[in-house]
Amino acid sequence: MNIIGIIASHRKEGNTAFIVNKLLEGAKDQGAKTQSFHFSDLNINPCRGCMACHKGAEGCVIKDDMQKIYEEMEHADAIVLGLPIYMGQMSAQGKIFTDRLFARFSPKFSPFFKEVATKQKLVLSFNQGNPDASLFKPYMDYTNHMFEILEFDVREVPVVTDLRSGSIDKREDLCTSLKNFGSALVREEAQKSFS
């Protein structure tokens, strides 16, 4: 199984990176091939809304580091998308990544929708400083549904909360549950292969 992680935060050593890396670590322990992309290492520009990606065969005309991610997504069985909640929504980096998916995927209500569904697994991992896990639930549900409309097989990790109360790496229960989630993702795929 091939899994890529997208860390939609500029904080390379931050909570989002820690969470995505623990999920990937659990998957790697089960034999998955993993790779992560840090927004702090990438130059990814916002979508221009030019529609060129749907008018010809070239795809996205913006030649930046999103091209690397498009290429890796072609071979990925699953994507882990780490999304910190800023101002009640995903980070700007997460939104840029999401908007740039338009070059590859279009929602069912779009005139550009193609019947070839991705069916890739997409693990949405939200995290926030606030301790109330339900505080931004309507937004998280909306985001989950948006990716389902794009035909992703969405898996949602329970939101990681209370990240202002000390170092995340000291929360052993969280580390274990994140690794277990990553491991279970690979085991589930392996069971399907043998069915």
Side-chain angles (χ1 to χ4, degrees):
M1 187 173 189
N2 187 14
I3 305 176
I4 61 171
I6 310 292
I7 299 164
S9 168
H10 270 299
R11 295 178 61 219
K12 194 167 184 178
E13 303 294 324
N15 294 323
T16 305
F18 181 87
I19 292 163
V20 170
N21 287 328
K22 281 295 171 194
L23 288 161
L24 294 178
E25 189 180 325
K28 195 172 186 177
D29 288 348
Q30 295 298 315
K33 179 185 170 198
T34 66
Q35 179 180 8
S36 63
F37 291 93
H38 297 258
F39 254 80
S40 59
D41 296 333
L42 302 169
N43 175 31
I44 300 179
N45 295 295
C47 176
R48 297 177 189 160
C50 66
M51 303 295 190
C53 57
H54 291 288
K55 292 177 182 169
E58 185 182 350
C60 185
V61 296
I62 303 172
K63 302 307 177 199
D64 60 8
D65 290 335
M66 190 67 187
Q67 300 298 330
K68 296 177 196 174
I69 296 177
Y70 289 145
E71 187 175 325
E72 291 302 322
M73 285 178 70
E74 290 292 319
H75 310 290
D77 300 299
I79 300 160
V80 175
L81 179 54
L83 297 169
I85 296 293
Y86 296 156
M87 301 299 286
Q89 302 177 35
M90 70 173 77
S91 63
Q93 294 82 15
K95 185 67 168 105
I96 288 171
F97 168 78
T98 301
D99 287 349
R100 291 289 298 278
L101 292 179
F102 180 69
R104 294 292 172 102
F105 313 108
S106 294
K108 286 184 177 180
F109 54 79
S110 167
F112 303 109
F113 178 69
K114 299 176 184 82
E115 285 298 331
V116 181
T118 74
K119 299 299 182 196
Q120 281 175 310
K121 285 182 177 37
L122 176 68
V123 177
L124 287 179
S125 174
F126 291 99
N127 66 84
Q128 65 189 46
N130 193 285
D132 181 359
S134 66
L135 187 61
F136 304 115
K137 187 169 184 338
Y139 177 76
M140 293 174 196
D141 291 344
Y142 163 82
T143 305
N144 186 325
H145 181 62
M146 179 206 48
F147 280 110
E148 288 173 342
I149 290 171
L150 292 175
E151 300 287 310
F152 283 97
D153 178 8
V154 180
R155 309 299 170 89
E156 198 172 346
V157 177
V159 61
V160 178
T161 63
D162 203 18
L163 293 174
R164 294 187 198 123
S165 299
S167 181
I168 191 172
D169 60 337
K170 303 285 188 261
R171 291 170 59 177
E172 291 182 25
D173 58 330
L174 176 62
C175 296
T176 301
S177 66
L178 290 168
K179 285 182 69 176
N180 287 345
F181 191 98
S183 295
L185 190 66
V186 178
R187 285 195 305 271
E188 178 187 310
E189 194 64 26
Q191 288 173 349
K192 281 185 184 175
S193 300
F194 293 115
S195 298

